[in-house]
Amino acid sequence: FFEVSSGASIRGSMTLLDRVLWTSVLVVFVSGLFNFIIHYVLGLQHLTCLGGLGTVKPLVEHQFARDVSYVFSVTQQLEKMTTKYQLVEVFAHAYLGNILVIDQSVQITEKDEANYHEMMVHVPLAYMPKAKKVLMIGGGDGGAVFRALQHDHIEHAALVDIDMRTMREISRKYFSMLYQAYTDPRTVAYSFDGAEWLEDQLADEANHGTYELIMADTTDYGAASSLFTDHFYAGLKRLMHPETSILVLNVDSPSWNMDTVIGVQRQLSTMFKYAYIYHTHQPTFLSGHYSFLFASNNIDPMTAPIDWSEWHRKKIPTYYYTPEIHYASFMLPAMVSRHLTMSGRLSSVTTFP
């Protein structure tokens, strides 16, 4: 009896195992068929980031040169508008906050825009504690101008953006902190193509030598072709203060677009005595690595003294920038520095914080 019962139990167990096995096979088959239909028949990608069908489609930024995509599981599309100049979108994200996207390229997020804007502004202004006038070409979100106006010695900020009215409204609705650049009485905003505005300014010699800091912040290096020519840079140079002035450009990722970074540095080194690349960590940009170019005829960022007591006097709240980060940003990876005409060296630094 024991053996019969045991045998019956074994046969019953085998039947149960067979059912489990076949059920598992069926589940795998159905899952594979479902994914095939979704990905190849319906063309829906990144389904796992959707949280199921019927939810908000994820924001996907694709870097074609490297064939890499970043996927943001956004909770809502807050804005989408096609202007005369660009496609502007704003998305909400649970961790990153609001995300500004222009022509399908992430520009800023509330979470880490400070990494970018603080480095673009505080690095050059640390050398010029008495600077009074700044010029921003592009940067219509207001982030860089907002940071510049945190320096109490700045008396005038000119902001020139080809789609300024759109960007001002986007900033007002979704990036209220940056919008303070527009409400500050020291700001004068121009809705102009940067290259055309520059030619208009240069026509009046009274404008020559006006600005201590000039920044060019474009959506993508190479996209606005009129802003990346020797003629344009030469024009900006004529607007720079002859004794103390700096030009800062946003460039590209040193990790993924090294040729662009090298090319820009070499181009500007033929026009300025000092042309240094400095970099920052930008987690929400493709590669997470970004760079700027520091150009000047009278300020060498490695040897020019910085009055750090003056920096601390201002008590500017920062999220990313510190005096230590300031110098560290000029120290570049060997894969980049070996190809540049000049690059930062720690041994050159004369004033530590």
Side-chain angles (χ1 to χ4, degrees):
F1 178 78
F2 175 80
E3 291 181 358
V4 172
S5 297
S6 178
S9 297
I10 292 174
R11 287 193 296 273
S13 298
M14 289 298 290
T15 301
L16 179 60
L17 288 173
D18 289 343
R19 289 176 180 174
V20 172
L21 177 62
W22 283 108
T23 300
S24 299
V25 171
L26 182 61
V27 168
V28 172
F29 174 77
V30 172
S31 177
L33 179 62
F34 180 73
N35 285 329
F36 175 81
I37 293 173
I38 290 295
H39 288 190
Y40 298 100
V41 178
L42 299 181
L44 297 176
Q45 302 295 318
H46 310 294
L47 183 64
T48 56
C49 299
L50 291 172
L53 292 175
T55 60
V56 181
K57 184 178 180 181
L59 165 62
V60 180
E61 182 180 13
H62 188 75
Q63 216 270 9
F64 289 95
R66 301 293 178 263
D67 196 23
V68 174
S69 293
Y70 272 17
V71 182
F72 300 83
S73 300
V74 295
T75 58
Q76 185 181 0
Q77 184 175 54
L78 301 171
E79 192 79 63
K80 182 177 182 180
M81 63 174 72
T82 301
T83 74
K84 179 181 177 181
Y85 307 103
Q86 56 200 355
L87 170 63
V88 181
E89 299 172 280
V90 180
F91 297 87
H93 190 278
Y95 177 71
L96 300 173
N98 291 342
I99 304 173
L100 172 63
V101 180
I102 295 181
D103 292 333
Q104 300 182 321
S105 177
V106 172
Q107 302 302 304
I108 60 172
T109 75
E110 287 185 294
K111 180 66 178 178
D112 68 356
E113 59 81 23
N115 298 31
Y116 184 96
H117 292 131
E118 288 180 6
M119 292 301 288
M120 182 171 226
V121 174
H122 297 330
V123 169
L125 284 181
Y127 297 97
M128 300 184 295
K130 295 182 180 180
K132 297 183 183 301
K133 294 185 177 182
V134 300
L135 165 64
M136 165 59 71
I137 304 288
D141 56 64
V145 171
F146 167 69
R147 265 33 183 243
L149 293 174
Q150 290 180 305
H151 295 258
D152 53 20
H153 48 86
I154 297 299
E155 298 177 354
H156 172 82
L159 172 56
V160 184
D161 193 283
I162 195 171
D163 206 1
M164 187 271 294
R165 293 181 179 87
T166 299
M167 297 310 301
R168 181 175 58 188
E169 183 64 9
I170 290 292
S171 184
R172 184 188 68 81
K173 292 173 66 176
Y174 304 111
F175 302 94
S176 58
M177 183 177 72
L178 309 187
Y179 182 65
Q180 294 177 69
Y182 286 102
T183 60
D184 193 298
R186 293 173 289 174
T187 302
V188 179
Y190 301 89
S191 186
F192 274 94
D193 172 87
E196 294 179 1
W197 182 88
L198 177 60
E199 292 300 324
D200 183 66
Q201 293 295 301
L202 291 174
D204 184 352
E205 291 191 7
N207 295 322
H208 295 192
T210 298
Y211 299 97
E212 287 95 347
L213 173 60
I214 296 180
M215 300 171 284
D217 184 11
T218 61
T219 55
D220 192 18
Y221 198 89
S225 57
S226 63
L227 303 184
F228 304 109
T229 64
D230 287 348
H231 178 75
F232 179 72
Y233 295 138
L236 292 180
K237 189 176 179 180
R238 290 166 64 188
L239 290 186
M240 295 171 68
H241 193 283
E243 297 178 4
T244 305
S245 56
I246 298 169
L247 169 66
V248 172
L249 313 174
N250 69 315
V251 186
D252 213 322
S253 168
S255 298
W256 285 10
N257 296 301
M258 185 169 57
D259 289 346
T260 298
V261 174
I262 294 170
V264 173
Q265 191 277 330
R266 290 183 175 180
Q267 179 184 10
L268 272 293
S269 67
T270 65
M271 307 179 70
F272 291 87
K273 184 176 181 179
Y274 306 110
Y276 285 86
I277 293 292
Y278 66 100
H279 60 154
T280 185
H281 297 92
Q282 199 65 33
T284 52
F285 280 10
L286 288 168
S287 87
H289 191 195
Y290 203 76
S291 65
F292 303 94
L293 184 126
F294 178 114
S296 177
N297 273 336
N298 36 56
I299 297 176
D300 180 346
M302 292 294 94
T303 61
I306 295 178
D307 184 352
W308 289 113
S309 64
E310 174 63 15
W311 162 257
H312 292 301
R313 180 199 64 78
K314 299 175 188 178
K315 296 182 179 179
I316 297 174
T318 61
Y319 175 80
Y320 185 86
Y321 178 84
T322 67
E324 292 78 12
I325 285 288
H326 178 107
Y327 289 118
S329 69
F330 286 94
M331 308 305 149
L332 303 173
M335 63 182 182
V336 180
S337 62
R338 67 168 61 102
H339 299 289
L340 304 178
T341 61
M342 62 185 74
S343 64
R345 294 289 186 271
L346 194 59
S347 59
S348 302
V349 177
T350 58
T351 55
F352 283 96

PDB file of all heavy atoms in Angstrom, residues 156-179:
ATOM      1  N   HIS A 156      24.525  95.631 -15.814  1.00  0.00           N
ATOM      2  CA  HIS A 156      23.755  95.515 -17.053  1.00  0.00           C
ATOM      3  C   HIS A 156      23.981  94.129 -17.665  1.00  0.00           C
ATOM      4  O   HIS A 156      25.117  93.645 -17.733  1.00  0.00           O
ATOM      5  CB  HIS A 156      24.205  96.596 -18.047  1.00  0.00           C
ATOM      6  CG  HIS A 156      23.610  96.454 -19.414  1.00  0.00           C
ATOM      7  ND1 HIS A 156      22.349  96.903 -19.728  1.00  0.00           N
ATOM      8  CD2 HIS A 156      24.103  95.886 -20.548  1.00  0.00           C
ATOM      9  CE1 HIS A 156      22.097  96.636 -21.007  1.00  0.00           C
ATOM     10  NE2 HIS A 156      23.146  96.023 -21.527  1.00  0.00           N
ATOM     11  N   ALA A 157      22.884  93.494 -18.080  1.00  0.00           N
ATOM     12  CA  ALA A 157      22.968  92.195 -18.753  1.00  0.00           C
ATOM     13  C   ALA A 157      22.125  92.241 -20.014  1.00  0.00           C
ATOM     14  O   ALA A 157      20.906  92.465 -19.953  1.00  0.00           O
ATOM     15  CB  ALA A 157      22.491  91.076 -17.833  1.00  0.00           C
ATOM     16  N   ALA A 158      22.765  92.047 -21.152  1.00  0.00           N
ATOM     17  CA  ALA A 158      22.056  91.991 -22.432  1.00  0.00           C
ATOM     18  C   ALA A 158      21.830  90.525 -22.797  1.00  0.00           C
ATOM     19  O   ALA A 158      22.770  89.729 -22.800  1.00  0.00           O
ATOM     20  CB  ALA A 158      22.862  92.694 -23.519  1.00  0.00           C
ATOM     21  N   LEU A 159      20.588  90.175 -23.079  1.00  0.00           N
ATOM     22  CA  LEU A 159      20.225  88.802 -23.442  1.00  0.00           C
ATOM     23  C   LEU A 159      19.644  88.809 -24.847  1.00  0.00           C
ATOM     24  O   LEU A 159      18.614  89.435 -25.102  1.00  0.00           O
ATOM     25  CB  LEU A 159      19.206  88.241 -22.441  1.00  0.00           C
ATOM     26  CG  LEU A 159      18.552  86.893 -22.755  1.00  0.00           C
ATOM     27  CD1 LEU A 159      19.598  85.808 -22.963  1.00  0.00           C
ATOM     28  CD2 LEU A 159      17.595  86.501 -21.635  1.00  0.00           C
ATOM     29  N   VAL A 160      20.317  88.110 -25.763  1.00  0.00           N
ATOM     30  CA  VAL A 160      19.899  88.093 -27.163  1.00  0.00           C
ATOM     31  C   VAL A 160      19.553  86.661 -27.563  1.00  0.00           C
ATOM     32  O   VAL A 160      20.407  85.774 -27.515  1.00  0.00           O
ATOM     33  CB  VAL A 160      21.021  88.623 -28.084  1.00  0.00           C
ATOM     34  CG1 VAL A 160      20.528  88.692 -29.530  1.00  0.00           C
ATOM     35  CG2 VAL A 160      21.509  89.988 -27.617  1.00  0.00           C
ATOM     36  N   ASP A 161      18.295  86.448 -27.932  1.00  0.00           N
ATOM     37  CA  ASP A 161      17.865  85.110 -28.333  1.00  0.00           C
ATOM     38  C   ASP A 161      16.914  85.234 -29.514  1.00  0.00           C
ATOM     39  O   ASP A 161      16.003  86.071 -29.499  1.00  0.00           O
ATOM     40  CB  ASP A 161      17.168  84.393 -27.171  1.00  0.00           C
ATOM     41  CG  ASP A 161      16.992  82.901 -27.439  1.00  0.00           C
ATOM     42  OD1 ASP A 161      16.085  82.535 -28.204  1.00  0.00           O
ATOM     43  OD2 ASP A 161      17.769  82.111 -26.890  1.00  0.00           O
ATOM     44  N   ILE A 162      17.122  84.396 -30.517  1.00  0.00           N
ATOM     45  CA  ILE A 162      16.320  84.489 -31.734  1.00  0.00           C
ATOM     46  C   ILE A 162      14.847  84.177 -31.481  1.00  0.00           C
ATOM     47  O   ILE A 162      13.964  84.636 -32.190  1.00  0.00           O
ATOM     48  CB  ILE A 162      16.897  83.552 -32.826  1.00  0.00           C
ATOM     49  CG1 ILE A 162      16.314  83.901 -34.197  1.00  0.00           C
ATOM     50  CG2 ILE A 162      16.660  82.088 -32.466  1.00  0.00           C
ATOM     51  CD1 ILE A 162      16.994  83.180 -35.346  1.00  0.00           C
ATOM     52  N   ASP A 163      14.580  83.371 -30.455  1.00  0.00           N
ATOM     53  CA  ASP A 163      13.203  82.988 -30.103  1.00  0.00           C
ATOM     54  C   ASP A 163      12.903  83.431 -28.676  1.00  0.00           C
ATOM     55  O   ASP A 163      12.299  82.697 -27.892  1.00  0.00           O
ATOM     56  CB  ASP A 163      13.044  81.467 -30.243  1.00  0.00           C
ATOM     57  CG  ASP A 163      11.607  81.055 -30.519  1.00  0.00           C
ATOM     58  OD1 ASP A 163      10.739  81.940 -30.629  1.00  0.00           O
ATOM     59  OD2 ASP A 163      11.356  79.833 -30.611  1.00  0.00           O
ATOM     60  N   MET A 164      13.300  84.657 -28.359  1.00  0.00           N
ATOM     61  CA  MET A 164      13.269  85.138 -26.986  1.00  0.00           C
ATOM     62  C   MET A 164      11.869  85.136 -26.381  1.00  0.00           C
ATOM     63  O   MET A 164      11.676  84.735 -25.229  1.00  0.00           O
ATOM     64  CB  MET A 164      13.886  86.539 -26.909  1.00  0.00           C
ATOM     65  CG  MET A 164      14.063  87.082 -25.500  1.00  0.00           C
ATOM     66  SD  MET A 164      12.605  87.984 -24.911  1.00  0.00           S
ATOM     67  CE  MET A 164      12.622  89.388 -26.017  1.00  0.00           C
ATOM     68  N   ARG A 165      10.879  85.556 -27.123  1.00  0.00           N
ATOM     69  CA  ARG A 165       9.530  85.638 -26.556  1.00  0.00           C
ATOM     70  C   ARG A 165       9.014  84.266 -26.151  1.00  0.00           C
ATOM     71  O   ARG A 165       8.382  84.104 -25.107  1.00  0.00           O
ATOM     72  CB  ARG A 165       8.588  86.312 -27.555  1.00  0.00           C
ATOM     73  CG  ARG A 165       8.911  87.791 -27.790  1.00  0.00           C
ATOM     74  CD  ARG A 165       7.934  88.436 -28.768  1.00  0.00           C
ATOM     75  NE  ARG A 165       8.242  89.855 -28.949  1.00  0.00           N
ATOM     76  CZ  ARG A 165       9.110  90.321 -29.844  1.00  0.00           C
ATOM     77  NH1 ARG A 165       9.760  89.470 -30.629  1.00  0.00           N
ATOM     78  NH2 ARG A 165       9.335  91.611 -29.950  1.00  0.00           N
ATOM     79  N   THR A 166       9.291  83.271 -26.981  1.00  0.00           N
ATOM     80  CA  THR A 166       8.887  81.904 -26.637  1.00  0.00           C
ATOM     81  C   THR A 166       9.618  81.420 -25.405  1.00  0.00           C
ATOM     82  O   THR A 166       9.019  80.870 -24.467  1.00  0.00           O
ATOM     83  CB  THR A 166       9.183  80.943 -27.807  1.00  0.00           C
ATOM     84  OG1 THR A 166       8.439  81.355 -28.956  1.00  0.00           O
ATOM     85  CG2 THR A 166       8.815  79.513 -27.445  1.00  0.00           C
ATOM     86  N   MET A 167      10.932  81.620 -25.383  1.00  0.00           N
ATOM     87  CA  MET A 167      11.739  81.117 -24.270  1.00  0.00           C
ATOM     88  C   MET A 167      11.411  81.852 -22.971  1.00  0.00           C
ATOM     89  O   MET A 167      11.424  81.252 -21.891  1.00  0.00           O
ATOM     90  CB  MET A 167      13.222  81.254 -24.596  1.00  0.00           C
ATOM     91  CG  MET A 167      13.672  80.428 -25.802  1.00  0.00           C
ATOM     92  SD  MET A 167      13.125  78.700 -25.712  1.00  0.00           S
ATOM     93  CE  MET A 167      13.886  78.184 -24.184  1.00  0.00           C
ATOM     94  N   ARG A 168      11.095  83.112 -23.069  1.00  0.00           N
ATOM     95  CA  ARG A 168      10.718  83.861 -21.868  1.00  0.00           C
ATOM     96  C   ARG A 168       9.436  83.297 -21.265  1.00  0.00           C
ATOM     97  O   ARG A 168       9.326  83.148 -20.040  1.00  0.00           O
ATOM     98  CB  ARG A 168      10.532  85.338 -22.215  1.00  0.00           C
ATOM     99  CG  ARG A 168      10.149  86.206 -21.011  1.00  0.00           C
ATOM    100  CD  ARG A 168      10.106  87.680 -21.384  1.00  0.00           C
ATOM    101  NE  ARG A 168       9.152  87.918 -22.472  1.00  0.00           N
ATOM    102  CZ  ARG A 168       9.037  89.091 -23.103  1.00  0.00           C
ATOM    103  NH1 ARG A 168       9.827  90.099 -22.773  1.00  0.00           N
ATOM    104  NH2 ARG A 168       8.145  89.245 -24.065  1.00  0.00           N
ATOM    105  N   GLU A 169       8.471  82.948 -22.117  1.00  0.00           N
ATOM    106  CA  GLU A 169       7.227  82.392 -21.625  1.00  0.00           C
ATOM    107  C   GLU A 169       7.423  80.993 -21.049  1.00  0.00           C
ATOM    108  O   GLU A 169       6.829  80.647 -20.018  1.00  0.00           O
ATOM    109  CB  GLU A 169       6.191  82.354 -22.761  1.00  0.00           C
ATOM    110  CG  GLU A 169       4.825  81.852 -22.361  1.00  0.00           C
ATOM    111  CD  GLU A 169       4.121  82.746 -21.345  1.00  0.00           C
ATOM    112  OE1 GLU A 169       4.610  83.859 -21.064  1.00  0.00           O
ATOM    113  OE2 GLU A 169       3.072  82.328 -20.815  1.00  0.00           O
ATOM    114  N   ILE A 170       8.269  80.199 -21.707  1.00  0.00           N
ATOM    115  CA  ILE A 170       8.585  78.865 -21.186  1.00  0.00           C
ATOM    116  C   ILE A 170       9.242  78.978 -19.820  1.00  0.00           C
ATOM    117  O   ILE A 170       8.908  78.244 -18.878  1.00  0.00           O
ATOM    118  CB  ILE A 170       9.517  78.114 -22.159  1.00  0.00           C
ATOM    119  CG1 ILE A 170       8.765  77.734 -23.441  1.00  0.00           C
ATOM    120  CG2 ILE A 170      10.122  76.883 -21.498  1.00  0.00           C
ATOM    121  CD1 ILE A 170       7.685  76.697 -23.256  1.00  0.00           C
ATOM    122  N   SER A 171      10.155  79.903 -19.696  1.00  0.00           N
ATOM    123  CA  SER A 171      10.830  80.111 -18.426  1.00  0.00           C
ATOM    124  C   SER A 171       9.847  80.569 -17.352  1.00  0.00           C
ATOM    125  O   SER A 171       9.883  80.095 -16.208  1.00  0.00           O
ATOM    126  CB  SER A 171      11.948  81.152 -18.595  1.00  0.00           C
ATOM    127  OG  SER A 171      12.681  81.319 -17.404  1.00  0.00           O
ATOM    128  N   ARG A 172       8.950  81.460 -17.705  1.00  0.00           N
ATOM    129  CA  ARG A 172       7.968  81.970 -16.736  1.00  0.00           C
ATOM    130  C   ARG A 172       7.067  80.855 -16.215  1.00  0.00           C
ATOM    131  O   ARG A 172       6.773  80.775 -15.019  1.00  0.00           O
ATOM    132  CB  ARG A 172       7.103  83.053 -17.389  1.00  0.00           C
ATOM    133  CG  ARG A 172       6.106  83.708 -16.433  1.00  0.00           C
ATOM    134  CD  ARG A 172       5.147  84.626 -17.169  1.00  0.00           C
ATOM    135  NE  ARG A 172       4.232  83.879 -18.035  1.00  0.00           N
ATOM    136  CZ  ARG A 172       3.122  83.273 -17.602  1.00  0.00           C
ATOM    137  NH1 ARG A 172       2.797  83.308 -16.322  1.00  0.00           N
ATOM    138  NH2 ARG A 172       2.350  82.629 -18.454  1.00  0.00           N
ATOM    139  N   LYS A 173       6.656  79.961 -17.101  1.00  0.00           N
ATOM    140  CA  LYS A 173       5.687  78.932 -16.732  1.00  0.00           C
ATOM    141  C   LYS A 173       6.324  77.721 -16.039  1.00  0.00           C
ATOM    142  O   LYS A 173       5.704  77.119 -15.162  1.00  0.00           O
ATOM    143  CB  LYS A 173       4.926  78.460 -17.979  1.00  0.00           C
ATOM    144  CG  LYS A 173       4.016  79.518 -18.575  1.00  0.00           C
ATOM    145  CD  LYS A 173       3.420  79.070 -19.903  1.00  0.00           C
ATOM    146  CE  LYS A 173       2.474  77.911 -19.747  1.00  0.00           C
ATOM    147  NZ  LYS A 173       1.830  77.560 -21.049  1.00  0.00           N
ATOM    148  N   TYR A 174       7.549  77.382 -16.427  1.00  0.00           N
ATOM    149  CA  TYR A 174       8.081  76.094 -15.988  1.00  0.00           C
ATOM    150  C   TYR A 174       9.431  76.165 -15.259  1.00  0.00           C
ATOM    151  O   TYR A 174       9.847  75.189 -14.655  1.00  0.00           O
ATOM    152  CB  TYR A 174       8.213  75.164 -17.191  1.00  0.00           C
ATOM    153  CG  TYR A 174       6.913  74.993 -17.936  1.00  0.00           C
ATOM    154  CD1 TYR A 174       6.748  75.526 -19.211  1.00  0.00           C
ATOM    155  CD2 TYR A 174       5.835  74.329 -17.358  1.00  0.00           C
ATOM    156  CE1 TYR A 174       5.548  75.381 -19.899  1.00  0.00           C
ATOM    157  CE2 TYR A 174       4.634  74.187 -18.033  1.00  0.00           C
ATOM    158  CZ  TYR A 174       4.497  74.721 -19.301  1.00  0.00           C
ATOM    159  OH  TYR A 174       3.300  74.576 -19.974  1.00  0.00           O
ATOM    160  N   PHE A 175      10.120  77.313 -15.336  1.00  0.00           N
ATOM    161  CA  PHE A 175      11.422  77.445 -14.674  1.00  0.00           C
ATOM    162  C   PHE A 175      11.455  78.798 -13.960  1.00  0.00           C
ATOM    163  O   PHE A 175      12.186  79.714 -14.357  1.00  0.00           O
ATOM    164  CB  PHE A 175      12.562  77.308 -15.689  1.00  0.00           C
ATOM    165  CG  PHE A 175      12.545  76.006 -16.436  1.00  0.00           C
ATOM    166  CD1 PHE A 175      11.916  75.911 -17.675  1.00  0.00           C
ATOM    167  CD2 PHE A 175      13.131  74.872 -15.901  1.00  0.00           C
ATOM    168  CE1 PHE A 175      11.880  74.706 -18.362  1.00  0.00           C
ATOM    169  CE2 PHE A 175      13.109  73.656 -16.583  1.00  0.00           C
ATOM    170  CZ  PHE A 175      12.474  73.571 -17.809  1.00  0.00           C
ATOM    171  N   SER A 176      10.637  78.908 -12.936  1.00  0.00           N
ATOM    172  CA  SER A 176      10.397  80.199 -12.295  1.00  0.00           C
ATOM    173  C   SER A 176      11.659  80.827 -11.706  1.00  0.00           C
ATOM    174  O   SER A 176      11.802  82.054 -11.698  1.00  0.00           O
ATOM    175  CB  SER A 176       9.331  80.054 -11.201  1.00  0.00           C
ATOM    176  OG  SER A 176       9.734  79.101 -10.232  1.00  0.00           O
ATOM    177  N   MET A 177      12.577  80.012 -11.232  1.00  0.00           N
ATOM    178  CA  MET A 177      13.802  80.578 -10.664  1.00  0.00           C
ATOM    179  C   MET A 177      14.615  81.271 -11.760  1.00  0.00           C
ATOM    180  O   MET A 177      15.111  82.386 -11.574  1.00  0.00           O
ATOM    181  CB  MET A 177      14.654  79.488  -9.998  1.00  0.00           C
ATOM    182  CG  MET A 177      15.904  80.046  -9.317  1.00  0.00           C
ATOM    183  SD  MET A 177      16.875  78.787  -8.457  1.00  0.00           S
ATOM    184  CE  MET A 177      17.579  77.906  -9.854  1.00  0.00           C
ATOM    185  N   LEU A 178      14.738  80.626 -12.910  1.00  0.00           N
ATOM    186  CA  LEU A 178      15.511  81.206 -14.003  1.00  0.00           C
ATOM    187  C   LEU A 178      14.814  82.429 -14.592  1.00  0.00           C
ATOM    188  O   LEU A 178      15.471  83.321 -15.142  1.00  0.00           O
ATOM    189  CB  LEU A 178      15.754  80.157 -15.096  1.00  0.00           C
ATOM    190  CG  LEU A 178      16.336  78.818 -14.638  1.00  0.00           C
ATOM    191  CD1 LEU A 178      16.690  77.951 -15.835  1.00  0.00           C
ATOM    192  CD2 LEU A 178      17.550  79.017 -13.739  1.00  0.00           C
ATOM    193  N   TYR A 179      13.506  82.462 -14.477  1.00  0.00           N
ATOM    194  CA  TYR A 179      12.731  83.581 -15.016  1.00  0.00           C
ATOM    195  C   TYR A 179      13.089  84.898 -14.336  1.00  0.00           C
ATOM    196  O   TYR A 179      12.843  85.984 -14.879  1.00  0.00           O
ATOM    197  CB  TYR A 179      11.239  83.305 -14.866  1.00  0.00           C
ATOM    198  CG  TYR A 179      10.342  84.385 -15.431  1.00  0.00           C
ATOM    199  CD1 TYR A 179      10.323  84.642 -16.805  1.00  0.00           C
ATOM    200  CD2 TYR A 179       9.530  85.157 -14.597  1.00  0.00           C
ATOM    201  CE1 TYR A 179       9.511  85.641 -17.332  1.00  0.00           C
ATOM    202  CE2 TYR A 179       8.715  86.145 -15.112  1.00  0.00           C
ATOM    203  CZ  TYR A 179       8.703  86.382 -16.483  1.00  0.00           C
ATOM    204  OH  TYR A 179       7.900  87.371 -17.001  1.00  0.00           O
TER     205      TYR A 179
END
